[in-house]
Amino acid sequence: MKFLDQAKIYISSGAGGAGCISFRREKFIEFGGPDGGPGGKGGDVWVECVANLNTLIDYRYRQHFKARSGHAGAGRNQSGASGEDVTIPVPPGTEVLAEDQETLLAELLKPGDRVRLAKGGNGGFGNEHFKSSTNRAPRHANPGQPGEELTVWLRLKLIADAGLVGLPNAGKSTFLATVSAAKPKIADYPFTTLHPNLGVVRVGEVDFVLADIPGLIEGAHEGAGLGDRFLGHVERCRVLLHLVDATSEDVAGAYRTVRAELKAYGADLARKKEIVALSKCDALDEATIEVKAAELKAAARKRPLVLSAVSGLGVKEALTSLAREIGKSRTAERAEATRGEEPQPWRP
């Protein structure tokens, strides 16, 4: 399945049905009176989060969603049938934006979340609604209200516990393939990864989702390279594993480049908990690794992990560090969620 994290769709709710003008005509009933029923309500357009989706590829082939209009009323005070609603299924982590791609209309994070994007028009009143003591034979009814039409953007931001960031060809895909069952494309040229890849990692009793984000280059927040299109997937990560290629000439400069892009993008990416690791260390001798680690430590202000996904060097330590930070974040979230709950009274 091809990964697609952004789609433009057009939605339209149904119009309400028209009210009916009718009079009761039955044998032996001289003064029947008005009996026109109201029209039915137009269908709504909903967006719903479902668990079995992880991409927006379906909306490349279908962009128009229109709910049915309500039916007109009928005689004998019969109401028109309401139009059927339309539900648009989206994966967890989807944002619904207005046509300007800036105004947030809805955010769906967990399965079961459901938001109405367009309300159907109400049905019109029939002439029975307008009868009164002074107007016993009204000959008018209301038309149904029109539906709503709008263009929205669906933007998926993957929900992952940890994210791999770094320059292109820093060893992110190799690390993901080593620690999980994911099979990302791996090659010896930059920008091998063209879309985020997800893998499930188990460390002891802790399971977490690890995301491999396409490589960042200088100016990515302005659209250079693959641009900031995939930086949004980092927003929902609890912790970042920043991989720096040990074989590069300037490991400190490589680290600062990625950090500058995270800071320029905003959304508090630069404030996320970060674990720094020197990757591809199997290609260097111990003396060179010590020099590179010292340079990276001076730039990051923390001692980096020495890592090699090919040989397995430092992989367990990196996963343990990730699991520790993810556990802290989950504990803090549970404490925050239960803080506002009122204590239940004790009952024998």
Side-chain angles (χ1 to χ4, degrees), residues 6 11 15 32 63 93 104 113 139 156 162 171-172 216 219 236 271 273 277 280 304 313 315 321 333 341:
Q6 186 167 290
I11 62 176
Q63 293 89 29
L104 182 64
D113 289 351
R139 297 184 177 274
L156 173 62
K172 302 183 293 297
L216 305 174
R236 306 194 192 281
R271 297 183 179 181
K273 183 66 178 180
K280 300 185 180 180
L313 173 66
V315 171
S321 299
E333 284 187 3
E341 296 181 359

Side-chain angles (χ1 to χ4, degrees), residues 203-327:
V203 182
E205 299 297 325
V206 179
D207 291 338
F208 62 89
V209 179
L210 181 63
D212 171 22
I213 309 299
L216 305 174
I217 63 174
E218 186 174 357
H221 70 282
E222 297 176 345
L226 293 178
D228 63 351
R229 177 171 180 178
F230 298 116
L231 274 174
H233 297 293
V234 187
E235 290 184 28
R236 306 194 192 281
C237 295
R238 303 173 188 269
V239 59
L240 302 179
L241 178 59
H242 189 162
L243 298 183
V244 180
D245 187 356
T247 62
S248 62
E249 296 182 359
D250 185 8
V251 292
Y255 173 80
R256 294 191 186 100
T257 297
V258 175
R259 290 297 301 176
E261 295 307 315
L262 295 177
K263 185 176 181 180
Y265 179 80
D268 291 333
L269 294 189
R271 297 183 179 181
K272 287 186 177 295
K273 183 66 178 180
E274 179 191 54
I275 298 172
V276 183
L278 200 61
S279 65
K280 300 185 180 180
C281 290
D282 59 302
L284 303 176
D285 54 51
E286 293 185 4
T288 306
I289 292 175
E290 287 295 329
V291 174
K292 297 283 187 178
E295 295 177 0
L296 185 55
K297 180 180 179 181
R301 298 181 181 179
K302 62 181 73 173
R303 182 168 183 80
L305 300 176
V306 177
L307 184 67
S308 172
V310 174
S311 66
L313 173 66
V315 171
K316 184 176 180 180
E317 291 77 2
L319 294 180
T320 303
S321 299
L322 289 175
R324 184 186 305 114
E325 296 299 331
I326 291 170

Side-chain angles (χ1 to χ4, degrees), residues 8 17 28 36 44 51 66 72 74 83 88 93 107 112 121 127-128 187 206 220 237 248 282 297 320 335:
K8 182 181 182 180
F28 305 122
D44 301 330
K66 184 176 182 180
I88 302 172
E107 187 176 34
N127 66 338
E128 190 273 339
V206 179
C237 295
S248 62
D282 59 302
K297 180 180 179 181
T320 303

Side-chain angles (χ1 to χ4, degrees), residues 93-235:
T94 300
E95 291 181 345
V96 183
L97 305 174
E99 192 171 6
D100 60 7
Q101 299 191 52
E102 294 181 358
T103 306
L104 182 64
L105 301 179
E107 187 176 34
L108 300 99
L109 300 179
K110 58 182 183 297
D113 289 351
R114 182 177 169 90
V115 177
R116 182 170 61 187
L117 297 180
K119 182 181 179 181
N122 290 325
F125 290 122
N127 66 338
E128 190 273 339
H129 176 81
F130 299 101
K131 68 181 180 181
S132 66
S133 59
T134 58
N135 186 12
R136 299 185 178 183
R139 297 184 177 274
H140 67 278
N142 285 347
Q145 294 180 340
E148 301 176 353
E149 296 183 5
L150 65 156
T151 300
V152 298
W153 285 86
L154 302 178
R155 181 178 298 168
L156 173 62
K157 294 181 179 179
L158 293 178
I159 297 180
D161 297 298
L164 297 172
V165 296
L167 291 177
N169 219 24
K172 302 183 293 297
S173 297
T174 305
F175 182 83
L176 179 66
T178 300
V179 302
S180 72
K183 299 186 181 302
K185 183 179 179 180
I186 300 173
D188 59 350
Y189 55 84
F191 295 111
T192 308
T193 303
L194 300 178
H195 57 79
N197 295 298
L198 293 179
V200 178
V201 182
R202 184 175 183 85
V203 182
E205 299 297 325
V206 179
D207 291 338
F208 62 89
V209 179
L210 181 63
D212 171 22
I213 309 299
L216 305 174
I217 63 174
E218 186 174 357
H221 70 282
E222 297 176 345
L226 293 178
D228 63 351
R229 177 171 180 178
F230 298 116
L231 274 174
H233 297 293
V234 187
E235 290 184 28

